[in-house]
Amino acid sequence: MGISFEAHASPTQREAGSRPIQPSRPNYNKLHAQPLPINTYPLPPLIPHNPLSLLHIAFTYLLQVLVPPASHPAIPLRGYFSHETRSVHITDHASARILWQQGFFGKGSLSRSEPAWLEREKIRQGVLAGNTSEDVTRMRREERKQFKNERARKEREVIEEKLAEEAKVMPNGFQGDKEGADGHINMPGVAHTSSGSPVLPREDERRADSLWNKLTDADAYEPVVKLLEQRQNDILNQEHLQLTLEEAFFLAYGLGVLDIQDLSTRANLSISNLFSLCRSNSYFPPQKSKYLSPDDPFLLSYVVYHHFRSLGWVVRPGIKFAVDHLLYNRGPVFTHAEFAVIVLPSYTHTYWNSTPELRSAVERKAKKSWWWLHCVNRVQAHVRKSLVLVYVEVPSLEEIGRTLDDSGEVADVGRFLRTYRVRELTLKRWTPNRTRG
């Protein structure tokens, strides 16, 4: 049985109506102040009516040129590529917290989103007090369930009273000392307060106060505190941060803050090797590099991911809402996602219409039914998100060939990605009863 150090009120305090002290919520603005896991050093502002501001700007600029400050996190971020899960694992707890708090990258392997298994386990064992985000979500769902049950009960009571009035009979239900008018169970011989809680006799109340004073004694708590501290140190964190292929490659290539090793060989992966590995593992089963095409799933998804990350959006997986990505303005702890993104290939280059075989293959890949679009758009409208169709212009094999080396591998990843173009189309479901003129 776990012991929790939550603040409680004594029986007399509860009788007076004082509420127990709730643990303070974390300061999300401070925890997620940095949008990305990189350090930036802007120059001081220019004040026109203060000439000393020019000297301040010049001094700061020269100092940063002569002694460049570190742009990467102090802790080296390292991940392991897993072929079984087709993802990158971050096993270091400190690195996982940095990636989550600075950009909302990845998800906990034992959590819904934020890696909070260790906190949940400590709370379950009574080492820590408070609630995690998953506990809050579960309690909100339980409150909604209780509210719906209470609303249904009241509706049934109204119907029964109406039927009783019509039939000129008394309604069925609990009477006497079984249940009061307010819904509380009344025990015979025990007085109750207005809130429905039983009033203890004076002797029992003194015994409860004496027990409470013993529990709140600091000397009595001291051995318990030592035991809980020891238990807190003994709990081993069994959770790791799991990055998608797009997130891992963006951190390794786009920002250069993540070093990735092969989980089986423990060898460091270069950017070109990681790029080929992500492309081949985007198929199931994985394909060899010589069979990869310009429209493989990883390329299309990463081009869109890099595009919106560069615009400042927080991009999260959208499989929960039947889309490819979700776009958050600041992050999932602040607001809900505003846009839902679906990635679609576009074959507008003349090469893809040069032969009947290519034309048939392209039509099979790009064609979507109207019913599919209607269903996806309705789901997004139900959860109050705007659907964004992102068309990725797939280059021809001739354009791709200019970016390859003599061995057929991608020599410059940046030059290779610049051959793709992105077009956005926002859809909104028209509902007649909501959009009347």
Side-chain angles (χ1 to χ4, degrees):
M1 179 177 179
I3 302 177
S4 177
F5 280 99
E6 293 182 1
H8 297 282
S10 64
T12 54
Q13 290 175 336
R14 288 196 298 268
E15 185 64 25
S18 60
R19 299 181 59 185
I21 301 175
Q22 298 293 336
S24 60
R25 296 184 58 186
N27 188 353
Y28 292 120
N29 292 319
K30 184 177 180 181
L31 289 176
H32 306 281
Q34 292 185 232
L36 292 173
I38 54 176
N39 301 320
T40 58
Y41 304 91
L43 295 176
L46 174 63
I47 304 176
H49 60 273
N50 187 4
L52 295 178
S53 63
L54 293 174
L55 297 177
H56 190 196
I57 294 175
F59 174 77
T60 305
Y61 176 77
L62 292 176
L63 183 63
Q64 293 182 5
V65 170
L66 298 177
V67 186
S71 60
H72 288 31
I75 301 176
L77 306 180
R78 182 174 291 105
Y80 302 94
F81 191 95
S82 174
H83 296 269
E84 291 77 11
T85 60
R86 292 187 292 174
S87 61
V88 175
H89 297 173
I90 308 296
T91 57
D92 182 56
H93 182 63
S95 301
R97 298 307 303 176
I98 290 176
L99 292 177
W100 174 258
Q101 293 179 358
Q102 301 178 12
F104 300 98
F105 292 94
K107 69 172 293 293
S109 59
L110 301 177
S111 304
R112 294 175 59 249
S113 181
E114 179 183 1
W117 178 87
L118 184 61
E119 287 76 9
R120 294 200 313 273
E121 185 66 16
K122 291 179 180 179
I123 293 175
R124 187 186 68 85
Q125 296 188 14
V127 178
L128 291 180
N131 297 316
T132 61
S133 57
E134 295 187 359
D135 295 332
V136 173
T137 302
R138 186 177 63 256
M139 287 188 295
R140 288 178 178 175
R141 291 176 178 175
E142 187 65 25
E143 289 177 358
R144 286 196 296 266
K145 182 179 179 180
Q146 293 178 0
F147 171 75
K148 292 179 181 179
N149 294 337
E150 183 68 17
R151 182 177 58 186
R153 186 183 66 83
K154 291 183 178 180
E155 290 177 355
R156 289 195 302 269
E157 290 180 355
V158 171
I159 295 175
E160 290 177 359
E161 291 178 0
K162 188 67 176 178
L163 293 175
E165 291 178 1
E166 293 177 356
K168 302 297 183 181
V169 296
M170 294 298 294
N172 297 328
F174 293 101
Q175 296 180 1
D177 52 17
K178 289 186 178 180
E179 183 177 356
D182 54 356
H184 295 285
I185 304 299
N186 296 329
M187 296 180 293
V190 179
H192 291 75
T193 62
S194 58
S195 61
S197 58
V199 178
L200 298 176
R202 189 172 302 277
E203 182 180 354
D204 294 342
E205 184 176 349
R206 286 196 300 266
R207 189 182 300 111
D209 289 340
S210 177
L211 178 61
W212 176 258
N213 294 331
K214 292 180 180 179
L215 288 176
T216 54
D217 189 5
D219 295 336
Y221 266 136
E222 184 176 356
V224 180
V225 171
K226 293 181 179 179
L227 177 61
L228 292 180
E229 290 178 353
Q230 182 180 359
R231 290 178 58 187
Q232 181 175 357
N233 297 329
D234 293 341
I235 299 177
L236 179 63
N237 189 8
Q238 302 179 12
E239 185 178 35
H240 64 266
L241 188 71
Q242 189 170 341
L243 301 176
T244 62
L245 298 179
E246 295 81 8
E247 292 173 332
F249 191 75
F250 179 78
L251 291 169
Y253 165 73
L255 300 181
V257 298
L258 180 64
D259 297 328
I260 300 179
Q261 297 179 354
D262 196 315
L263 187 59
S264 56
T265 62
R266 298 289 177 172
N268 291 328
L269 297 174
S270 62
I271 296 299
S272 58
N273 292 337
L274 178 63
F275 187 60
S276 301
L277 201 59
C278 291
R279 292 182 61 188
S280 62
N281 280 271
S282 62
Y283 295 93
F284 186 81
Q287 296 186 5
K288 296 182 180 180
S289 58
K290 63 180 181 180
Y291 298 112
L292 299 179
S293 61
D295 58 349
D296 60 56
F298 171 76
L299 272 179
L300 300 179
S301 180
Y302 179 75
V303 167
V304 176
Y305 183 90
H306 193 112
H307 170 70
F308 286 111
R309 273 289 184 177
S310 302
L311 295 178
W313 292 95
V314 174
V315 187
R316 300 285 298 164
I319 189 174
K320 180 180 179 180
F321 301 105
V323 294
D324 296 312
H325 302 295
L326 294 176
L327 302 183
Y328 294 84
N329 188 14
R330 295 183 61 188
V333 301
F334 297 103
T335 56
H336 291 283
E338 188 174 353
F339 296 98
V341 176
I342 290 182
V343 181
L344 297 173
S346 178
Y347 304 91
T348 58
H349 198 276
T350 57
Y351 166 79
W352 301 108
N353 295 322
S354 58
T355 62
E357 292 79 8
L358 284 175
R359 193 181 306 112
S360 176
V362 163
E363 183 179 358
R364 185 173 60 255
K365 292 180 180 180
K367 188 177 181 181
K368 296 289 183 181
S369 66
W370 168 254
W371 297 110
W372 167 84
L373 179 61
H374 177 71
C375 293
V376 174
N377 197 14
R378 182 169 183 173
V379 170
Q380 308 315 315
H382 182 69
V383 294
R384 298 182 180 181
K385 300 183 190 324
S386 300
L387 180 62
V388 181
L389 302 180
V390 180
Y391 292 91
V392 180
E393 300 285 349
V394 181
S396 63
L397 293 181
E398 181 181 356
E399 293 177 310
I400 294 295
R402 300 194 192 103
T403 62
L404 303 179
D405 55 12
D406 298 336
S407 61
E409 299 294 335
V410 177
D412 188 354
V413 177
R415 184 183 176 188
F416 182 88
L417 294 176
R418 281 194 293 270
T419 59
Y420 291 83
R421 298 290 183 270
V422 172
R423 291 185 290 111
E424 305 171 12
L425 177 63
T426 304
L427 295 181
K428 187 175 182 180
R429 184 167 177 260
W430 183 73
T431 308
N433 60 347
R434 293 184 180 180
T435 55
R436 294 176 180 174

